[in-house]
Amino acid sequence: MAKLKIWMVALTLIMGVSLSSCLDSGDSNPIQQQTVLAKLTMGPTYSNVLIMQGGVELVPSDPTSLILLNAGMYMVDIQYNVNDIQANSKTLNVTLLSTPRKIDGPYVTTVTPTADAPMYVIKYEDNGGVIAPYFFDKNTLIFPAMYWYKASTGDELTAEIKKHSFVFSYDEIEEGDETLTLKVTHLISEDKDAERKSYTVSYFAYDLRDAIEEFTSKGNTLKKNCFICKK
């Protein structure tokens, strides 16, 4: 369910729906819990701030909870009061339910590694919604990776998930190109030959700034992105 909520928040903010409507679940209980994606940056007072897509700042009840976090993209479990939300507000008072989880993927490169395993799928439907790669902002790609893993529980499951990574790469860019083709490669660090029959979804964020700047520096206009799964 968390993955669906993340996608819905991103989609509604892209379409310009107000903060009050996209975070109001319709539940009679005003205290709501949700998982969102946010970018951690340094604010105007030289303190860390979490910004959701669309520019809404998450304001934690404990102002010290972000001090030790590094800049990047995070998955954030929050609790908030619907009655406190003001239409078109750019801030949201929240309680952090856990330490935000950094989801930055590997550096985007022109070198395409050899894949260790296939992806399950790049784009799929879930409870009536479409889950697919999308841009958090003009340079940050969010990739909901659906992949096969070895079924396990507890610490073994945590260790299994950490073995999987996804590398984005792109070919040499030529003048006149209109499409930036991104190739995603699924890598497994250990037990590559283990039988994996279950599938799951993990969210990763990729900084495409360098690739996009290289593309536009050659006089090209980026009209679309194309994703290729390598295996």
Side-chain angles (χ1 to χ4, degrees):
M1 183 59 67
K3 64 179 183 292
L4 178 61
K5 287 185 178 180
I6 291 170
W7 173 252
M8 290 178 66
V9 167
L11 185 59
T12 52
L13 287 174
I14 286 174
M15 295 188 298
V17 177
S18 69
L19 175 63
S20 58
S21 62
C22 74
L23 290 177
D24 188 350
S25 67
D27 194 324
S28 58
N29 184 358
I31 305 302
Q32 297 291 313
Q33 296 181 355
Q34 194 164 355
T35 299
V36 299
L37 297 184
K39 176 174 282 189
L40 186 80
T41 62
M42 182 175 290
T45 60
Y46 299 100
S47 58
N48 287 339
V49 294
L50 280 170
I51 307 295
M52 291 198 301
Q53 191 172 37
V56 176
E57 178 185 349
L58 300 177
V59 182
S61 55
D62 178 5
T64 67
S65 58
L66 306 180
I67 291 178
L68 298 179
L69 300 181
N70 296 320
M73 287 296 304
Y74 286 83
M75 184 175 289
V76 191
D77 300 321
I78 62 173
Q79 178 174 287
Y80 58 94
N81 191 327
V82 172
N83 295 331
D84 293 339
I85 298 176
Q86 301 295 320
N88 301 316
S89 173
K90 285 298 183 180
T91 61
L92 176 64
N93 294 324
V94 301
T95 298
L96 299 184
L97 301 177
S98 62
T99 301
R101 302 178 296 283
K102 206 165 191 286
I103 61 168
D104 288 338
Y107 182 75
V108 178
T109 176
T110 55
V111 179
T112 302
T114 300
D116 295 320
M119 295 287 296
Y120 181 82
V121 70
I122 291 287
K123 178 181 178 180
Y124 55 97
E125 294 185 2
D126 184 75
N127 292 336
V130 177
I131 309 298
Y134 68 96
F135 278 93
F136 180 88
D137 54 34
K138 65 179 182 179
N139 293 315
T140 306
L141 176 73
I142 303 299
F143 179 57
M146 192 175 219
Y147 58 95
W148 301 102
Y149 74 102
K150 184 171 61 176
S152 51
T153 58
D155 292 342
E156 289 186 3
L157 175 59
T158 300
E160 166 65 16
I161 296 301
K162 287 183 177 180
K163 296 174 184 176
H164 299 261
S165 63
F166 302 86
V167 174
F168 272 84
S169 59
Y170 60 97
D171 292 332
E172 182 179 353
I173 298 171
E174 304 288 348
E175 291 185 11
D177 285 348
E178 296 182 349
T179 301
L180 177 60
T181 300
L182 300 169
K183 295 175 286 187
V184 57
T185 305
H186 181 188
L187 302 180
I188 303 176
S189 61
E190 300 176 25
D191 302 323
K192 298 182 180 184
D193 296 326
E195 187 175 45
R196 293 177 165 88
K197 293 185 176 181
S198 300
Y199 60 86
T200 188
V201 176
S202 297
Y203 278 75
F204 296 92
Y206 296 85
D207 186 353
L208 298 182
R209 184 185 308 273
D210 289 347
I212 293 174
E213 288 182 352
E214 180 182 348
F215 191 93
T216 56
S217 70
K218 296 190 175 183
N220 300 330
T221 300
L222 184 58
K223 295 185 178 181
K224 64 178 180 179
N225 293 284
C226 176
F227 297 93
I228 298 176
C229 180
K230 298 298 291 181
K231 176 54 180 177

